[in-house]
Amino acid sequence: MGYVVFPIILLLVMVAMLLLRAFPIFSAGTLVDFLLGKDWHPLKGNFGLLPFITGTFWVTFGALLVAVPPCLLAAIYLSEYALRTTRTFVKPLLDLLAGIPSVIYGAWGVLVVVPWVQNVASPILRSLFSDIPLFQTTNYTGFSVMSGALVLAIMVAPIIVSVVWEVFQALPAELRQASLALGATQWETIWYVVLPKSRPGILAGIGLAFSRAFGETMAVLMVVGNVVQIPHSLFDAAYPLTALIANNYGEMMSIPMYDAALMGAALVLMLLVMLFNSLSAFYLNRITGG
């Protein structure tokens, strides 16, 4: 019983402490102004989180759009087509990739991804889609939403593949056998049986990856540019919540409300991650019958 109660108590204590530290910023104005305000000027007493929240969502959703399709196909291959020797080799490799520190991914992003976005992806996409604002920008440095999304996509890929693969493996073999016995091909069995039955688990894997990407700090901080603005393009610089906290906590604490604003940002981030983790656990329980 204690193993269940202690994490819950610890979580409540963390939320309570963040709420206590952030209370001055909530009492100084409305919650709407804090969450939806566009101005972040600590010296003027303006603390609006909207640029940081939108930057976080831009990078995170971009990462998942890049990562989910190939990861889903990889999980299908490993579960339904790959040889046993291939699975034996790939499983520890996925665990190894998932355990690499984020700062390594960030350094790799600065050295490889940012120059590639600056010199290859940005010119090509801007010329091909010149009429679409999503691909137009005045930022030509490569430190952008796209760079952050690509780095995060590689970081969360092992999580998505591992979870979805385990979900596919958990399905009863009788479902596949019944479909094949009725004359369905292997791909038709995957499309009409395996994927529909695995939908909750797939959503859970995406949710867990979303939580990982949402709370990532170092890799994002190093490649997104850290400019306080609301991005309007994949090539615009952004400033996610995690980078805001990591860059500024401990500095300029003499400014009134500055500490409370950062703790408020941390509370918002924690609540969002808790939400996605809870949804992921709910879907996993549905497919496992827990």
Side-chain angles (χ1 to χ4, degrees), residues 203-215:
L203 294 176
I206 295 173
L208 290 173
F210 191 101
S211 299
R212 169 70 186 272
F214 208 85

PDB file of all heavy atoms in Angstrom, residues 203-215:
ATOM      1  N   LEU A 203      -2.196   5.091 -28.960  1.00  0.00           N
ATOM      2  CA  LEU A 203      -2.402   6.425 -28.393  1.00  0.00           C
ATOM      3  C   LEU A 203      -1.615   6.608 -27.108  1.00  0.00           C
ATOM      4  O   LEU A 203      -1.086   7.693 -26.830  1.00  0.00           O
ATOM      5  CB  LEU A 203      -3.894   6.661 -28.144  1.00  0.00           C
ATOM      6  CG  LEU A 203      -4.780   6.736 -29.386  1.00  0.00           C
ATOM      7  CD1 LEU A 203      -6.245   6.873 -28.993  1.00  0.00           C
ATOM      8  CD2 LEU A 203      -4.356   7.903 -30.278  1.00  0.00           C
ATOM      9  N   ALA A 204      -1.507   5.544 -26.313  1.00  0.00           N
ATOM     10  CA  ALA A 204      -0.735   5.623 -25.074  1.00  0.00           C
ATOM     11  C   ALA A 204       0.739   5.847 -25.375  1.00  0.00           C
ATOM     12  O   ALA A 204       1.412   6.648 -24.716  1.00  0.00           O
ATOM     13  CB  ALA A 204      -0.927   4.351 -24.255  1.00  0.00           C
ATOM     14  N   GLY A 205       1.270   5.132 -26.354  1.00  0.00           N
ATOM     15  CA  GLY A 205       2.662   5.320 -26.723  1.00  0.00           C
ATOM     16  C   GLY A 205       2.942   6.725 -27.226  1.00  0.00           C
ATOM     17  O   GLY A 205       3.958   7.337 -26.883  1.00  0.00           O
ATOM     18  N   ILE A 206       2.013   7.252 -28.033  1.00  0.00           N
ATOM     19  CA  ILE A 206       2.169   8.626 -28.514  1.00  0.00           C
ATOM     20  C   ILE A 206       2.082   9.612 -27.353  1.00  0.00           C
ATOM     21  O   ILE A 206       2.823  10.595 -27.297  1.00  0.00           O
ATOM     22  CB  ILE A 206       1.105   8.930 -29.583  1.00  0.00           C
ATOM     23  CG1 ILE A 206       1.331   8.051 -30.814  1.00  0.00           C
ATOM     24  CG2 ILE A 206       1.126  10.401 -29.965  1.00  0.00           C
ATOM     25  CD1 ILE A 206       0.234   8.160 -31.858  1.00  0.00           C
ATOM     26  N   GLY A 207       1.168   9.333 -26.403  1.00  0.00           N
ATOM     27  CA  GLY A 207       1.041  10.207 -25.246  1.00  0.00           C
ATOM     28  C   GLY A 207       2.287  10.221 -24.388  1.00  0.00           C
ATOM     29  O   GLY A 207       2.722  11.278 -23.908  1.00  0.00           O
ATOM     30  N   LEU A 208       2.903   9.054 -24.177  1.00  0.00           N
ATOM     31  CA  LEU A 208       4.142   9.000 -23.403  1.00  0.00           C
ATOM     32  C   LEU A 208       5.259   9.752 -24.120  1.00  0.00           C
ATOM     33  O   LEU A 208       6.055  10.463 -23.483  1.00  0.00           O
ATOM     34  CB  LEU A 208       4.544   7.547 -23.179  1.00  0.00           C
ATOM     35  CG  LEU A 208       3.654   6.734 -22.232  1.00  0.00           C
ATOM     36  CD1 LEU A 208       4.073   5.274 -22.236  1.00  0.00           C
ATOM     37  CD2 LEU A 208       3.712   7.301 -20.818  1.00  0.00           C
ATOM     38  N   ALA A 209       5.325   9.602 -25.426  1.00  0.00           N
ATOM     39  CA  ALA A 209       6.332  10.331 -26.191  1.00  0.00           C
ATOM     40  C   ALA A 209       6.070  11.832 -26.131  1.00  0.00           C
ATOM     41  O   ALA A 209       7.003  12.642 -26.039  1.00  0.00           O
ATOM     42  CB  ALA A 209       6.329   9.849 -27.641  1.00  0.00           C
ATOM     43  N   PHE A 210       4.794  12.203 -26.184  1.00  0.00           N
ATOM     44  CA  PHE A 210       4.406  13.610 -26.087  1.00  0.00           C
ATOM     45  C   PHE A 210       4.889  14.191 -24.759  1.00  0.00           C
ATOM     46  O   PHE A 210       5.447  15.291 -24.708  1.00  0.00           O
ATOM     47  CB  PHE A 210       2.889  13.721 -26.192  1.00  0.00           C
ATOM     48  CG  PHE A 210       2.388  15.131 -26.366  1.00  0.00           C
ATOM     49  CD1 PHE A 210       2.012  15.591 -27.622  1.00  0.00           C
ATOM     50  CD2 PHE A 210       2.272  15.987 -25.291  1.00  0.00           C
ATOM     51  CE1 PHE A 210       1.532  16.877 -27.792  1.00  0.00           C
ATOM     52  CE2 PHE A 210       1.796  17.275 -25.448  1.00  0.00           C
ATOM     53  CZ  PHE A 210       1.430  17.726 -26.697  1.00  0.00           C
ATOM     54  N   SER A 211       4.700  13.447 -23.671  1.00  0.00           N
ATOM     55  CA  SER A 211       5.136  13.918 -22.357  1.00  0.00           C
ATOM     56  C   SER A 211       6.645  14.096 -22.306  1.00  0.00           C
ATOM     57  O   SER A 211       7.157  15.058 -21.735  1.00  0.00           O
ATOM     58  CB  SER A 211       4.689  12.935 -21.270  1.00  0.00           C
ATOM     59  OG  SER A 211       3.282  12.831 -21.239  1.00  0.00           O
ATOM     60  N   ARG A 212       7.377  13.143 -22.906  1.00  0.00           N
ATOM     61  CA  ARG A 212       8.832  13.245 -22.944  1.00  0.00           C
ATOM     62  C   ARG A 212       9.261  14.476 -23.732  1.00  0.00           C
ATOM     63  O   ARG A 212      10.118  15.246 -23.296  1.00  0.00           O
ATOM     64  CB  ARG A 212       9.429  11.985 -23.574  1.00  0.00           C
ATOM     65  CG  ARG A 212      10.915  12.075 -23.920  1.00  0.00           C
ATOM     66  CD  ARG A 212      11.798  12.104 -22.681  1.00  0.00           C
ATOM     67  NE  ARG A 212      13.177  12.329 -23.024  1.00  0.00           N
ATOM     68  CZ  ARG A 212      14.063  11.389 -23.330  1.00  0.00           C
ATOM     69  NH1 ARG A 212      13.687  10.118 -23.358  1.00  0.00           N
ATOM     70  NH2 ARG A 212      15.317  11.692 -23.607  1.00  0.00           N
ATOM     71  N   ALA A 213       8.658  14.679 -24.895  1.00  0.00           N
ATOM     72  CA  ALA A 213       9.016  15.829 -25.718  1.00  0.00           C
ATOM     73  C   ALA A 213       8.600  17.134 -25.062  1.00  0.00           C
ATOM     74  O   ALA A 213       9.313  18.134 -25.121  1.00  0.00           O
ATOM     75  CB  ALA A 213       8.356  15.695 -27.105  1.00  0.00           C
ATOM     76  N   PHE A 214       7.436  17.119 -24.418  1.00  0.00           N
ATOM     77  CA  PHE A 214       6.905  18.330 -23.805  1.00  0.00           C
ATOM     78  C   PHE A 214       7.813  18.829 -22.685  1.00  0.00           C
ATOM     79  O   PHE A 214       7.963  20.038 -22.488  1.00  0.00           O
ATOM     80  CB  PHE A 214       5.512  18.033 -23.245  1.00  0.00           C
ATOM     81  CG  PHE A 214       4.614  19.226 -23.207  1.00  0.00           C
ATOM     82  CD1 PHE A 214       3.885  19.584 -24.323  1.00  0.00           C
ATOM     83  CD2 PHE A 214       4.481  20.002 -22.071  1.00  0.00           C
ATOM     84  CE1 PHE A 214       3.049  20.678 -24.311  1.00  0.00           C
ATOM     85  CE2 PHE A 214       3.647  21.094 -22.044  1.00  0.00           C
ATOM     86  CZ  PHE A 214       2.923  21.439 -23.167  1.00  0.00           C
ATOM     87  N   GLY A 215       8.397  17.900 -21.946  1.00  0.00           N
ATOM     88  CA  GLY A 215       9.223  18.303 -20.814  1.00  0.00           C
ATOM     89  C   GLY A 215      10.705  18.337 -21.097  1.00  0.00           C
ATOM     90  O   GLY A 215      11.496  18.562 -20.182  1.00  0.00           O
TER      91      GLY A 215
END
